[in-house]
Each structure stands twice: as C-alpha cells, then as structure tokens.
Amino acid sequence: MGNYKKIASRARKLGDIAINIFDTRKLVYIVEKGWVIEEVGRQVTDSLNRQELISSRISLSDAFLKNKIVHYGSINTFLNENGIKNKKCKQKNKIVVTWFHIPFDDVRIRYIPLLNKDTDVVHTSCNLTREKLIKYGLKKEKIVVIPLGVDLSIFKSKTKSGKKQVRKKIGLPENKIIIGSFQKDGVGWGEGLEPKLVKGPDVFLKVVKNLARKYSIFVLLTGPSRGYVKKGLEKMGIPFMHRFLENYLDIAEYYNALDLYLVTSREEGGPKAILESMACGIPLITTKVGMAPDIIKDRKNGMLTNIDDTIDLVKKSALIL
C-alpha cells in the first residue's frame, strides 16, 4: 500500500510538471501532498477563483513555471538543509513563501537572511513566528501576517442529539469522556513510531494518563503517523480509536464527537485544530503556540498554558470536565 501511494504521488507530480509548462493561470500554490497543507492550498485557490480575483491552482511542483506568482504553501516546499530548492524559479516569477513555525533546531534558520533578496513576500499565520523571523534576520517589511481561516459552513456546532448521532455513527462509547487529538505527530509519513517532539505527543500522553486516574476517558485520534501515541495509549491501558480520513473535511464530524480537544505542542504555526474545535463549540486547552495567544483569551474562549506545563494542562482539563 505504501509503495502504491508513492507511485501515485510521483505520477501526480509528473502530471503537475506537464501542466506547469502549458497552463496560463497566474498564481500557482505549491503544496505538499496529504493532510493539511494541500487542503489549505485548495481552499485558498478555490476562493481566489470563485471571487475572480486571480486565476489560481495548486501544484506539487514548481518546475517550468514562468511569469507567475508562485506561492510556496510551506517552507518545506521552498527550502531544505542545502538552501533554496529551485533558484531558477525566482528569476522568472514573483515569490511568496509561507513559514508557519520555526523550531529552535531547524537548520534552515541560517537561510532566513537570504529571504530578503530571494522572496517578494514572506507570509506567516501568527505573531510568534513573525517575531522569530525578524530575530533571525528577515526585514519587517517583507513579512505579512494573515491568520489561517476556517470554513464555518463545514465546521459548526451540532445539537446535543446531533452529537449523540455522530458518536453512534463513528462507533464511540456512550459512557466515556471523549478527548480528541487530530494532528500528525510522528516523524515521516509512515507508522509514526518515532515522536515528532515539536508536536508534544509525549506531553499529550502524560496529560491523558493523569486525567484517566480521575475520569473515564476515551481518546479519538485522526491524522497520519500516530504510532507513538497509539503505542503509549495501549501501554497505559487507555481505550482509543484512530481513523485516518481520506477526505480531510470529514474531520468536522469528528470534532462534534468530542468533550475536549487538547493541543500540547511546543511549536506551531496554527494549528488549524484551534480554529476548527472552536468553530464546532468544543472546549479547547492549548499551549501558547502559533495562533493561540493571538486569538484565545485564557478562561474566556479557551484555556492557555505554558509549553511543557503538564500540571496546568491537567488542571485546566479537569476544570473544563
């Protein structure tokens, strides 16, 4: 199955390269295949086309583009450990790069000053990342902060009976407190047994372990590469369900099955889960990462904790429950 997906992805990328040569649309949004980045790119380009602002499309490749606005939807599509992936693209196009979050050990930090001449605009979704970009050498006037958005026609709260129906449809127990975690937190795109510590999966496990001592909880997981968390829950004897959703938008129903959503990350640019859970009326507890400090007032429209503060995460989860 893994080899099939790789072949399919490669074939699609080759198809996008061919389209790049002949397509006349003015903006090309470069995406990573899969989970969130591709969905964000699709939403942005669909909206631009629908409003007839600029003809747009997504692509997995920036090869052979000329006289376009090329928007790299994540820093992974623009930079690697050796620098800019495709320097020719800058010579023939206007360049917009989105950089969501910057872990302290990201080797690409050294290339940030180069973005002053190699990009036209650097976009980020939160003020925390804006401050880091400036600290590492990017000029203020290069940066535009535009938050991530959420489609309120898809992500919306259900009635109590509607939530009950969702739980029954998914196959969740009726007599448990359902805690959600829907983000990718394993290294790579495989099983994800190695934790991506920047996402705080180790903190998540500590929190639910403590909550399980007092409450009858059930953990609902979506997203790829969740092996580390699943193994941890199995070891602790905490019941859970993991579903990888082929259609990302199906996740809206999963939010409506929850009693509580936890973000335990150490670094984020969004995450989308903050907006999505809030839009669905799900109580949210999050560390002070990404957009969280920009939009959440602690104890008013959500709960904020310091990064790695397991005690406060547990305390505020208990307060909500």
Side-chain angles (χ1 to χ4, degrees):
M1 187 66 174
N3 287 335
Y4 170 78
K5 287 185 176 180
K6 286 180 181 178
I7 292 169
S9 179
R10 189 171 299 173
R12 182 182 153 193
K13 190 170 184 176
L14 289 172
D16 284 351
I17 291 172
I19 293 170
N20 286 351
I21 297 172
F22 301 105
D23 193 81
T24 59
R25 278 169 281 193
K26 296 297 184 183
L27 185 145
V28 180
Y29 196 108
I30 308 300
V31 301
E32 299 174 81
K33 187 180 186 316
W35 203 231
V36 176
I37 299 300
E38 183 172 7
E39 183 57 34
V40 170
R42 198 177 301 281
Q43 289 175 357
V44 169
T45 52
D46 285 351
S47 181
L48 290 170
N49 289 327
R50 186 169 58 251
Q51 298 177 70
E52 298 183 346
L53 295 172
I54 185 170
S55 55
S56 312
R57 67 182 176 88
I58 63 171
S59 177
L60 289 176
S61 173
D62 62 358
F64 301 110
L65 292 172
K66 186 177 180 181
N67 300 324
K68 311 282 188 188
I69 298 172
V70 182
H71 187 148
Y72 292 87
S74 74
I75 199 61
N76 298 331
T77 60
F78 185 69
L79 282 181
N80 59 23
E81 64 275 9
N82 298 314
I84 297 171
K85 292 181 176 182
N86 184 1
K87 293 182 179 180
K88 291 181 180 179
C89 200
K90 167 59 182 172
Q91 298 166 11
K92 300 176 180 179
N93 304 280
K94 292 288 187 181
I95 302 298
V96 181
V97 175
T98 290
W99 199 326
F100 284 113
H101 61 90
I102 310 173
F104 74 92
D105 58 350
D106 192 329
V107 297
R108 297 169 298 186
I109 288 173
R110 69 183 119 174
Y111 300 118
I112 289 176
L114 298 180
L115 301 183
N116 287 306
K117 65 180 181 64
D118 290 326
T119 66
D120 294 282
V121 174
V122 176
H123 159 250
T124 189
S125 58
C126 64
N127 285 300
L128 286 175
T129 300
R130 177 184 182 273
E131 291 165 9
K132 286 187 178 183
L133 287 167
I134 294 168
K135 173 185 173 182
Y136 292 130
L138 189 62
K139 294 177 181 177
K140 292 180 182 179
E141 54 269 26
K142 279 280 181 182
I143 307 170
V144 175
V145 178
I146 304 174
L148 291 169
V150 61
D151 188 338
L152 296 177
S153 69
I154 297 170
F155 293 91
K156 52 190 175 182
S157 181
K158 289 183 180 291
T159 63
K160 189 174 181 179
S161 61
K163 290 175 181 288
K164 190 173 181 179
Q165 289 174 8
V166 168
R167 289 191 180 192
K168 185 176 181 181
K169 179 180 175 182
I170 294 173
L172 296 170
E174 293 183 10
N175 59 343
K176 298 277 188 180
I177 290 169
I178 311 296
I179 296 176
S181 172
F182 297 165
Q183 65 188 69
K184 177 183 183 297
D185 55 14
V187 174
W189 291 94
E191 194 173 347
L193 292 173
E194 181 184 348
K196 193 174 182 181
L197 293 176
V198 72
K199 298 293 184 180
D202 53 326
V203 180
F204 178 81
L205 288 175
K206 289 176 184 176
V207 173
V208 295
K209 180 180 181 181
N210 276 278
L211 291 175
R213 291 171 179 161
K214 185 176 180 181
Y215 303 98
S216 180
I217 68 171
F218 187 97
V219 176
L220 181 60
L221 306 172
T222 70
S225 307
R226 305 304 308 269
Y228 174 82
V229 167
K230 288 158 65 176
K231 289 286 185 184
L233 292 171
E234 286 173 0
K235 187 176 180 180
M236 293 185 293
I238 296 175
F240 70 93
M241 175 189 292
H242 175 234
R243 295 270 179 87
F244 178 75
L245 306 175
E246 292 292 341
N247 180 359
Y248 178 79
L249 296 180
D250 289 343
I251 204 171
E253 280 211 327
Y254 281 66
Y255 279 107
N256 272 291
L258 303 179
D259 295 297
L260 181 69
Y261 193 93
L262 286 175
V263 175
T264 58
S265 301
R266 297 180 172 95
E267 189 75 50
E268 286 284 356
K272 291 274 280 185
I274 288 177
L275 300 174
E276 292 166 348
S277 58
M278 291 175 78
C280 292
I282 304 305
L284 169 72
I285 299 168
T286 174
T287 48
K288 294 175 183 176
V289 291
M291 291 169 55
D294 292 341
I295 62 175
I296 293 176
K297 295 186 184 299
D298 188 37
R299 295 174 181 258
K300 293 189 181 296
N301 63 342
M303 296 285 196
L304 286 173
T305 76
N306 291 324
I307 293 166
D308 279 325
D309 193 341
T310 304
I311 293 173
D312 203 31
L313 283 160
V314 172
K315 180 181 176 182
K316 288 184 173 177
S317 294
L319 187 62
I320 290 289
L321 296 176

